[in-house]
Amino acid sequence: MSDQFRQFPFSLRPIATSALLVSAAMLTACGGSSSSEDEHEHTEIDTAGRLALFDSDASQLKVLDLDNSEVLASMAMNGEAPRLYASPGNRYAVAIQRGDDLVSFVDGGLYTEDHGDHMHDYAETPSMLTLTLNDHKPTHYSSGESEGVVFFDGGEAASSKVTVFSDATLGSGTTVASLQLENNMHGVAKMIDGHLFVTYRDSSITDTTLPAAVERYYLDGSSFEFEEPYSQACPRLHGAAANAHSLGFGCSDGVLVIDLHETGYPATKLANPEGLAEGARIGTVVAHHDVEELVGIAGDRLFAIHPESTTEVYHELDLGEGVGRLAQGFTTHGEVFYVLGDDGGLRLFDPSNDWQLITTVELMAAPGEEDTLAVTTSAAQERLFVLHNQSVIEVDTTDGDIVRTIDLGFSASAIAWLGLAEAGHDHDHDDEHSH
């Protein structure tokens, strides 16, 4: 199952070579004015957002302002190169260092506060939070509509653990809750509507650390209470994602699908797609809240999954003869599903139109083994940022046009978009790993 653990390192090169810390403008706080008009002036910020990047040469996490291509802050980060993700509200960068048993958080500086009669945007200097998570082998990260979930695999001397946080709890230096599991596993957990769906590995399974079943808990204050196990087996479970209707888990013999609309959240089992090579299976699942189908990935083959279809459960996406995938995901509103191929082409599919190919954007020549590639999406615009070696290519996903290429001044190995989400933005529920 090497496809499930494929790595996509990243590299970047910014434009600013001045001070390591450039203060971002901080908006004037509300109040202090004699008129209500003045009082509520300048409460909205028009910004393209920021990119969190890890400078692998300097061992620093840097935050780049997309409005002027300047580095706003640089923060030392020792240990292995982290994976970077965005928090559910896109304010914080989640930095996962699996080999160092460490999860750190960086405040990107862009956020919104509810001031009662209006919402107020702020742009401040990015900073590292004092809060860290220090459990064994943090590996799988899941971002939902309001909670982020880190699954710690554990090891021979430690059982697995799940920790849930939100942007609000990070702001106060705390987490929502944690759940200590019975043994270690390479697992995953999804937080949906106050319920935690988490993998289970019986201690009798000794030939793999992959789990083989799913359990459900509910959040009771600051702790999780057990609800029930699912009887349907999911051998060698790997990969999970959810939309508004369904939660899917990849199994060696198919896909376990939990109905999120039915009382009791019942589960059904889908057999593997026909024609898979012997030993192949869906080991990665991708989804978006507003898209009806899940996407299952088996090696370099991608399938739109219609769990309730009576005619075509699996619809395969055509990448072209001999093309392998390097990265994939949904754009901010789920209007486009993208696949970056190993031929240098960025394929844009339309989920609402039977997953037809909209266009293929020729970003670069076929990358080699020395190239570094990664993709992050904006929650403020229909934009996608492709990191390629020492540049970031910005793509307008509505038409596939290349907006600009940002040349950077350092080599980076991770990227995440942070900023103010567009109204109506719903988060992806992606299957994301740090190995």
Side-chain angles (χ1 to χ4, degrees), residues 308-326:
E308 299 177 3
S309 175
T310 58
T311 56
E312 185 185 35
V313 174
Y314 294 102
H315 173 77
E316 186 165 7
L317 307 186
D318 184 10
L319 301 185
E321 185 67 29
V323 176
R325 66 176 181 91
L326 297 179

Side-chain angles (χ1 to χ4, degrees), residues 85-88 94 96 103 105 133 138-152 161-166 176-179 187-192 195-198 224 429-430 432:
Y85 307 103
S87 65
V94 182
I96 298 181
V103 180
F105 302 94
L133 308 180
T139 302
H140 193 284
Y141 172 69
S142 167
S143 179
E145 291 179 65
S146 58
E147 294 101 358
V149 182
V150 178
F151 192 98
F152 297 85
K161 183 177 180 179
V162 177
T163 296
V164 179
F165 59 83
S166 67
V176 172
S178 291
L179 176 66
V188 58
K190 308 293 289 185
M191 188 73 185
I192 302 172
H195 296 271
L196 185 72
F197 299 83
V198 61
F224 289 105
H429 295 269
D430 278 8
E432 299 183 279

Side-chain angles (χ1 to χ4, degrees), residues 52 81 121-122 125 128 136 165 180 209 220 255 259 264 306 321 329 332 351 375-376 392 424:
D121 294 341
Y122 290 88
T125 303
M128 182 81 73
H136 297 271
F165 59 83
Q180 192 75 50
T209 59
D220 184 11
V255 178
D259 190 325
H306 311 248
E321 185 67 29
T332 182
V375 182
T376 189
V392 175

Side-chain angles (χ1 to χ4, degrees), residues 192-207:
I192 302 172
D193 293 334
H195 296 271
L196 185 72
F197 299 83
V198 61
T199 54
Y200 172 78
R201 181 176 73 88
D202 191 278
S203 58
S204 63
I205 299 175
T206 58
D207 62 332

Side-chain angles (χ1 to χ4, degrees), residues 179 190 192 194-199 214-218 224-230 258-260 263-267:
L179 176 66
K190 308 293 289 185
I192 302 172
H195 296 271
L196 185 72
F197 299 83
V198 61
T199 54
V214 177
E215 298 179 325
R216 190 176 73 248
Y217 293 74
Y218 68 92
F224 289 105
E225 298 295 330
F226 182 75
E227 278 191 300
E228 66 173 311
Y230 283 90
I258 295 174
D259 190 325
L260 299 175
T263 302
Y265 304 111

